[in-house]
């Protein structure tokens, strides 16, 4: 019976490369000359540090562009509010991996609402979809990628025929 898994993950090594490239770009940009601004990756969190919050917004754009260039969907970014102190502005961006229970239930609900002849079941941080026909499964993939799909960075793997 054909099946596939719906997951939400990214390559940690590519995220490290994206943060390194963003650091290099900020250090070489003219509008950041003489400014102490940097990115720091710790696990799934990227810490941004600059002198004012306006620079943090520019740094977020740089980070988003670098992540996209390295093949990481920008929708995985969970941006926290900036912390402003006297001399420094700090912000944390969490790179989300995995589907939590509410997101998985939403995906299953969307699949059932499509009236396709498939079954969807939640298995930890992924959703397994099985059906009799390969075309039905591909229709579900198209549905989740479309505008009606969830606003999540989804990947489809483990496709079995």
């Amino acid at each position: 019976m054909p099946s596939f898994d719906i997951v939400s993950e990214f390559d940690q090594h590519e995220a490290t490369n994206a943060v390194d490239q963003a650091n290099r770009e900020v250090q070489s940009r003219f509008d950041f000359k003489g400014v102490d601004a940097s990115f720091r990756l710790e696990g799934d969190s990227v810490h941004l540090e600059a002198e004012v919050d306006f620079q943090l917004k520019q740094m977020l754009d740089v980070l988003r562009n670098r992540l996209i260039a390295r093949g990481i969907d920008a929708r995985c970014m969970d941006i926290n509010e900036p912390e402003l102190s006297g001399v420094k502005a700090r912000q944390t961006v969490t790179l989300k991996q995995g589907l939590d229970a509410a997101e998985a239930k939403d995906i299953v609900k969307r699949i059932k609402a499509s009236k396709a002849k498939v079954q969807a079941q939640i298995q930890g941080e992924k959703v397994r979809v099985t059906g009799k026909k390969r075309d039905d499964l591909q229709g579900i993939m198209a549905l989740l990628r479309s505008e009606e799909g969830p606003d999540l960075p989804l990947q489809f793997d483990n496709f079995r025929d």
Side-chain angles (χ1 to χ4, degrees):
M1 199 152 187
S3 68
F4 70 91
D5 294 335
I6 302 170
V7 295
S8 179
E9 55 190 27
F10 61 89
D11 186 1
Q12 186 69 36
H13 186 68
E14 291 296 333
T16 304
N17 290 340
V19 170
D20 290 343
Q21 286 180 343
N23 257 328
R24 275 185 260 135
E25 183 174 335
V26 164
Q27 290 170 359
S28 66
R29 277 179 53 161
F30 179 75
D31 54 343
F32 280 94
K33 290 289 184 207
V35 175
D36 185 26
S38 65
F39 296 93
R40 194 175 71 250
L41 180 68
E42 292 179 0
D44 285 344
S45 298
V46 181
H47 301 283
L48 289 70
E49 193 171 296
E51 293 177 358
V52 292
D53 65 335
F54 175 73
Q55 292 169 340
L56 286 178
K57 291 177 185 172
Q58 291 177 321
M59 290 173 67
L60 271 175
D61 286 338
V62 170
L63 179 63
R64 184 176 290 113
N65 291 336
R66 291 294 128 214
L67 287 171
I68 291 170
R70 302 300 294 183
I72 298 174
D73 196 332
R75 292 180 291 183
C76 74
M77 292 174 52
D78 184 21
I79 303 168
N80 297 337
E81 290 296 316
E83 303 166 13
L84 305 173
S85 63
V87 226
K88 289 282 183 190
R90 293 179 180 88
Q91 191 167 17
T92 303
V93 176
T94 306
L95 302 175
K96 297 186 298 184
Q97 286 202 94
L99 297 172
D100 62 10
E103 293 168 340
K105 284 180 184 178
D106 180 51
I107 290 172
V108 169
K109 187 172 82 173
R110 288 174 192 264
I111 291 171
K112 288 185 179 186
S114 73
K115 305 279 190 211
K117 295 183 179 180
V118 297
Q119 293 82 38
Q121 46 189 300
I122 301 170
Q123 295 182 341
E125 291 189 343
K126 63 184 177 181
V127 176
R128 170 138 318 145
V129 180
T130 57
K132 290 184 179 179
K133 296 182 182 174
R134 182 180 195 161
D135 292 341
D136 293 338
L137 297 179
Q138 290 173 338
I140 295 299
M141 287 181 188
L143 169 80
L144 294 175
R145 284 187 186 122
S146 70
E147 293 295 321
E148 293 86 35
D151 190 30
L152 297 169
L154 298 177
Q155 293 84 33
F156 307 103
D157 67 350
N158 204 16
F159 194 92
R160 305 274 166 101
D161 232 351

